[in-house]
Structures are given as structure tokens and as C-alpha cells.
Amino acid sequence: MRIYSRILGTGSYLPEKRLTNADLAAELAQQGVETSDDWIVERTGIRARHFAADTQGSSDLATEAARKALTAAGISADELDLIIVATSTPDMVFPSVATMVQHKLGTAGCPAFDVQAVCSGFIYALTIADSMIQSGSVKRALVIGSEIFSRILDFKDRTTCVLFGDGAGAVILEASDQPGILATDLHADGKYKDILCVPGHVNRGGILGDPVLKMDGQAVFKLAVGVLEETARASLAKANMTDADIDWLIPHQANIRIMQSTAKKLKMTADKVVVTVDQHGNTSAASIPLALDTAVRDGRIQRGQTLMLEGVGGGFTWGSVLLRY
Ligand code: ACO
């Protein structure tokens, strides 16, 4: 009998500080950087984002989201067999955010590690957890996406600093004889390294290179729309399903125009797409679990429905997870 990974519960966390486009534009204007609510909304669909406090690390955001997911699942942290955190903005170079979350949740012993696949990180982490559950080695897994992208933005570069926000989302997976995750699909192609990257790194006690986000927006846009359709179709084919079987599309929340183009290619109407980019901005690996938790908690997503989760990000990396909720 096949073992499936079922979502037992979801949770998310957004830092207190919320900036509308007008708030951000006013802050940027003080540094001589010009932008406007109109430009940001028209090109991206973003209206607001949250920024973490200086005292918070990705592990703090992740722990808050994890606590809510554990409560929703009705289990305690001691019942977890695995913790994976998807992040590109860890508290430290090492140890991992996952081990910090484990400790903050007051538990110890189970394996805990981070996955770094930028905006596809949650899809990668979910796929790894699913494989470990299917192998029988793990019964309950906590999978988190957590990011503080505000720390790696260049607030003098208006083409990137208006796009991102901070946050965390989490799910608890449990082994079940009922579906569950139906199919997964992962890819990467390292030749696209330079169109989206943070080139700086720690070197002999200093920083070598520029430690802020660089992006060729138009190249990213073109690539994203193509691979998001391909990976969704690949997961559907593996599960012998078609686009008509999808109840909810939960794509990485980078830009409303990328999401609309993907939905159109999958012949899905806008009301079947979960959109949180307007309120969260692009929270990288946190964006998909944040959107999932939002739509679970507001009652849109119901048990038994079929969800297509898909992401694309730096690397480039991309992938999808098709599941029955
Ligand atoms: N405010 C006002 N004007 C701006 C801003 C801003 N924040 N940023 C750029 N502009 C100006 C530019 O300077 C340019 O002016 P010019 O014509 O006088 O030179 C004009 O707006 C158009 O700039 P473009 O870069 O051509 O704008 P475009 O329509 O390509 O939109 C955007 C830029 C939104 C980044 C778009 O390329 C995009 O959505 N790309 C996808 C990238 C993305 O979503 N990345 C997220 C991270 S990747 C991921 O998560 C997968």
C-alpha cells in the first residue's frame, strides 16, 4: 500500500511592521529614490509588505509559523520526526535555521536541516519531506519557508527593493494511507545564476562582493512564466490528471502578472488562484506556505480539494507539488 504525506495543519507569521507602497515610497524619497504606488501596483500587483524588526531572525519568524501549524495539526513539537526549513536568509552561516527552530520549539533529537533553493525552496523542502515519509523513515514532518529578504535588499535600487517582504509559513505533514501529496516535480539550471543572485559572501571576517540582491527583471519574468507551466503539467501527468482537476493554484507570489500568465496557460480563471502578493510582496521561500495558510484559514481551501503548489527562483530552480488537501 502506498504511503502518502497528508497536510495535518498549516500556520504562518508576518512581522508587525507593515509598509504600504506609499509608506515605502516616502521612506525611499528621503534617500532620493523615486517610486510610486501606481508604478508598483501596475507592474507587480504589490500594495504592501511586512519587514522584520532588527531583533528578529528567520528562525523567530519560522518558530511563530511552526507554533501555529502545530496547534492547527493538534500535535506537539515532541511528536515531530523531521524539521526542514527553506530559506536563503538564515540567521547565521551555520548552524541551520531548522536546528534553531527545533530548540525554540523546546524539542530535540529529530533531524533538522535547511534547504536553499531561493523562491522554490518550499517546494524542494516539501518534496524531500514527502520522499522521507514515503520511504517509511519519517511519520511527521514540519516543513517551513522563512525569509527576511529586507536584509539583502539595496534600498537605493528601486527596480528590486519595492518587490520583496519578510514572513514565514509552515505545514505539518503526516504519513497516511489517504492522499496526500499526489506528485512532485523539481528542476534546476545553474546557467541562469546571474539573472537573480546575491553575489556577496563572508570572507576572512569581512564581506567579499556585493551582499545585496541583483536581478534582471525581464529575463526572470520570461523564464518564470515558461517553467511554471511546464512543471505544473509535469506533476499533473505523473498523477494522471489534467488542469481541469485543479481546484486551487498556489503559485510563488512574485508578481501578479507572472501568476496571471501562468493561470491562463493552465486554463484557470483568476478566482482559482490564491493571491497574497498584494499584501505580502515577494517573500521568497515563505510565499507559498503563507498563501496556502491564508486560504486555508479564510475557508477557501477545503478538505478533499486538489491544490497545485509551484515555485520558481534563483539558481534557477523550479518545481511543483500536486496534492489533495
Ligand atoms: N518605481 C518607478 N519606476 C521604476 C521602478 C520603481 N520601483 N523600477 C523601475 N522603474 C522604471 C525603470 O527605471 C524604467 O524607466 P525608463 O523606462 O525611464 O528606463 C521603467 O520603470 C520600466 O522599467 P522595466 O525594468 O522595463 O520595467 P518592467 O515592466 O520590466 O517591470 C519588473 C519591472 C516589475 C521587475 C518586471 O520585470 C518583473 O516583474 N519581472 C519579474 C521579476 C520578479 O518578479 N522578480 C521577483 C524575484 S524572482 C522570483 O521570485 C522568481
Side-chain angles (χ1 to χ4, degrees):
M1 192 173 54
R2 177 170 169 186
I3 304 173
Y4 290 98
S5 312
R6 277 198 80 215
I7 294 183
L8 263 193
T10 65
S12 61
Y13 172 77
L14 290 162
E16 235 168 78
K17 183 176 178 187
R18 178 177 182 272
L19 277 97
T20 62
N21 291 340
D23 297 332
L24 183 62
E27 281 194 10
L28 293 175
Q30 287 174 9
Q31 303 170 47
V33 176
E34 203 186 312
T35 188
S36 66
D37 177 54
D38 283 352
W39 192 95
I40 302 171
V41 172
E42 192 197 314
R43 308 282 175 133
T44 72
I46 297 167
R47 293 178 185 277
R49 77 284 293 140
H50 292 248
F51 284 161
D54 288 345
T55 51
Q56 291 179 304
S58 286
S59 68
D60 297 306
L61 278 52
T63 304
E64 294 291 338
R67 287 204 177 101
K68 290 185 187 150
L70 286 165
T71 303
I75 67 163
S76 75
D78 291 337
E79 294 176 82
L80 295 169
D81 305 315
L82 171 69
I83 300 173
I84 309 180
V85 177
T87 187
S88 303
T89 49
D91 300 38
M92 299 181 183
V93 172
F94 70 81
S96 67
V97 173
T99 56
M100 294 180 193
V101 170
Q102 184 188 48
H103 185 62
K104 285 176 182 174
L105 290 175
T107 189
C110 76
F113 60 90
D114 289 359
V115 165
Q116 209 271 45
V118 201
C119 304
S120 316
F122 185 75
I123 297 294
Y124 268 64
L126 209 53
T127 301
I128 295 165
D130 176 47
S131 302
M132 291 175 78
I133 286 173
Q134 285 195 53
S135 77
S137 64
V138 163
K139 284 210 159 39
R140 283 175 174 156
L142 166 62
V143 183
I144 307 170
S146 185
E147 301 279 18
I148 303 189
F149 257 56
S150 60
R151 304 250 162 94
I152 53 168
L153 296 177
D154 176 357
F155 284 96
K156 294 212 157 41
D157 176 7
R158 66 179 182 173
T159 67
T160 54
C161 73
V162 300
L163 304 175
F164 295 88
D166 304 335
V171 303
I172 308 289
L173 290 179
E174 184 179 51
S176 170
D177 55 7
Q178 301 297 315
I181 291 180
L182 303 166
T184 61
D185 182 62
L186 293 182
H187 299 276
D189 187 342
K191 77 168 168 281
Y192 296 108
K193 161 173 83 68
D194 295 328
I195 64 171
L196 182 57
C197 61
V198 178
H201 61 274
V202 178
N203 182 299
R204 295 171 189 253
I207 302 286
L208 192 67
D210 206 352
V212 289
L213 187 142
K214 314 276 177 198
M215 182 179 73
D216 176 345
Q218 286 175 9
V220 168
F221 194 104
K222 267 186 226 141
L223 199 107
V225 174
V227 298
L228 286 172
E229 184 196 6
E230 275 168 34
T231 188
R233 295 215 176 278
S235 279
L236 286 168
K238 288 178 195 176
N240 284 321
M241 294 169 90
T242 70
D243 34 25
D245 294 312
I246 305 171
D247 292 305
W248 293 103
L249 179 65
I250 308 172
H252 169 48
Q253 310 280 318
N255 181 309
I256 191 70
R257 293 186 298 150
I258 295 178
M259 293 159 70
Q260 285 165 345
S261 304
T262 307
K264 204 169 154 197
K265 287 182 178 224
L266 295 174
K267 300 190 194 72
M268 297 188 70
T269 52
D271 59 333
K272 294 290 181 193
V273 185
V274 177
V275 176
T276 49
V277 71
D278 56 334
Q279 295 304 318
H280 302 169
N282 181 349
T283 58
S284 190
S287 90
I288 296 170
L290 260 164
L292 173 65
D293 185 53
T294 301
V296 165
R297 283 175 193 265
D298 69 21
R300 270 178 290 172
I301 293 178
Q302 296 288 321
R303 286 286 174 195
Q305 290 187 327
T306 301
L307 317 183
M308 173 65 76
L309 278 48
E310 55 171 356
V312 54
F316 252 70
T317 57
W318 63 98
S320 57
V321 173
L322 180 67
L323 64 91
R324 178 97 16 94
Y325 178 67

